[in-house]
Amino acid sequence: GNSKYGSKEDSESDLNGDHDKKKKKKKTKLPIPNALGDLSDLNVPYDAGTETPYFWDVHFAGETIAERVFSKCHGLAQAAEHGLQQPDFTEDELAVFDLDGDKFVNVDLSMEVGIDRAARLDLVGSRLADVIISPDLPQAAKVFTDRNKGRMFAIFRHPVDRAVSMYYYLSTATWDPMYNPKLKEMSLQEYAKSSSVENNWLTRFLVGKKSGALGPEHMVLAKKIVRNKILVGLYTDMETSLSKFDRYFGWTDHAREKAGGFRARQEMVDQADKCRAAFVAAGGDPQKHPT
């Protein structure tokens, strides 16, 4: 599970001795990691002909809703984690297959071995995927190339709300490999103080530092990466965020062109709006819990 990175010990080492006022440390400026070099900067106009949207799957931040919208409202072929469910799975060849009415490329981008296979088979060069989905930064960036870059977008949620959601989910989700029965014996307050709680997941994945102490320079770098590289949506305003992604990437306009341009554009925009609103209203959290 990707959420295991960063422990309570790391968190404590962040606090011990890092802010000694007597020792005036020279501020360290960290560069954006080379591993993210093939993810486009936002100040460069998006080029649908050569770039592929990359949805950074931040767990417990509305990703389930977003992925349903990508499929059901926009008909996008996703390169995500479901690729091994392809009937008669073809190890050495990329292909799009249908799973419960959704389109997927036969790759698994939730783990490094799957990311390496997708890169080897030139997933982005094949142009089979309309959107690439993975939580695993910076590894997922390996599938992109200088010729076929990724354009990164994500939905962010308040970290305390994410942690609460994670607590309720992981204490009951017996079907999930990350299920933790010990959480049932903990109160939410005990969980918050335990080694089971995440430690700066977003920052660690952005800067590529999965363990060890984080300093102010890592926070500054993470903010710089978000500012330069990520089209941001907010969990607290899902409809607006999903609509923004549609307009930015031109999904509804592209669907209209593919259909021959016969339908009125406004009609298709309204249809996409209604579709997104329905999925947002239905919600995506498998567990309803107190807030």
Side-chain angles (χ1 to χ4, degrees):
N2 293 310
S3 61
K4 70 178 186 293
Y5 292 114
S7 65
K8 186 76 172 176
E9 290 73 25
D10 293 328
S11 183
E12 285 165 359
S13 66
D14 291 350
L15 301 175
N16 294 336
D18 283 353
H19 303 294
D20 187 348
K21 289 175 185 172
K22 290 175 187 173
K23 294 177 186 174
K24 284 196 176 177
K25 288 185 182 176
K26 192 178 170 185
K27 282 190 179 175
T28 311
K29 275 195 175 179
L30 298 174
I32 290 178
N34 289 335
L36 305 182
D38 289 328
L39 294 171
S40 296
D41 285 351
L42 292 179
N43 62 4
V44 177
Y46 173 61
D47 180 358
T50 61
E51 295 180 66
T52 304
Y54 165 43
F55 182 59
W56 183 30
D57 175 2
V58 177
H59 296 318
F60 304 97
E63 74 282 10
T64 305
I65 297 170
E67 288 165 29
R68 285 176 189 154
V69 165
F70 300 159
S71 177
K72 303 297 187 188
C73 302
H74 300 299
L76 304 183
Q78 302 178 34
E81 60 185 340
H82 308 289
L84 303 188
Q85 296 179 57
Q86 178 195 26
D88 305 318
F89 174 72
T90 51
E91 171 68 35
D92 297 316
E93 187 180 347
L94 294 177
V96 175
F97 68 100
D98 190 284
L99 180 67
D100 301 326
D102 301 328
K103 290 183 287 185
F104 292 100
V105 183
N106 61 342
V107 292
D108 179 0
L109 302 184
S110 66
M111 53 183 65
E112 195 159 1
V113 63
I115 291 168
D116 289 341
R117 173 178 169 267
R120 189 177 72 248
L121 296 177
D122 192 19
L123 171 64
V124 291
S126 75
R127 309 297 289 167
L128 290 175
D130 297 313
V131 61
I132 286 171
I133 301 168
S134 175
D136 204 355
L137 268 181
Q139 277 75 19
K142 287 194 286 192
V143 304
F144 302 106
T145 64
D146 187 50
R147 183 176 290 184
N148 294 289
K149 289 183 181 286
R151 181 68 59 147
M152 193 170 169
F153 67 115
I155 296 169
F156 289 166
R157 185 181 186 185
H158 193 291
V160 172
D161 295 336
R162 273 189 71 242
V164 170
S165 222
M166 191 174 296
Y167 163 76
Y168 284 108
Y169 174 77
L170 294 181
S171 63
T172 53
T174 51
W175 59 89
D176 193 301
M178 288 166 61
Y179 166 65
N180 185 352
K182 289 180 186 172
L183 298 187
K184 280 186 180 171
E185 298 156 25
M186 287 185 198
S187 69
L188 184 56
Q189 288 77 10
E190 287 167 337
Y191 170 71
K193 294 174 183 175
S194 76
S195 60
S196 298
V197 76
E198 278 184 344
N199 173 231
N200 293 298
W201 189 94
L202 265 79
T203 299
R204 289 186 181 282
F205 272 60
L206 284 169
V207 305
K209 187 175 173 62
K210 303 288 171 70
S211 61
L214 292 172
E217 68 274 17
H218 296 106
M219 181 191 70
V220 170
L221 174 58
K223 287 166 75 173
K224 183 180 180 182
I225 292 168
V226 171
R227 192 165 54 246
N228 291 2
K229 299 269 186 191
I230 306 179
L231 180 68
V232 173
L234 299 177
Y235 182 84
T236 49
D237 199 353
M238 285 289 287
E239 273 190 63
T240 303
S241 300
L242 293 166
S243 174
K244 176 169 85 169
F245 297 151
D246 177 14
R247 290 197 312 275
Y248 186 90
F249 292 115
W251 291 326
T252 296
D253 287 336
H254 181 60
R256 183 170 178 265
E257 286 167 22
K258 270 175 77 174
F262 298 116
R263 288 179 62 190
R265 182 177 183 277
Q266 194 55 50
E267 182 191 337
M268 291 192 72
V269 167
D270 291 345
Q271 184 182 347
D273 284 344
K274 279 182 190 168
C275 183
R276 287 190 294 263
F279 281 106
V280 171
D285 277 340
Q287 302 301 114
K288 295 287 181 192
H289 56 73
T291 52

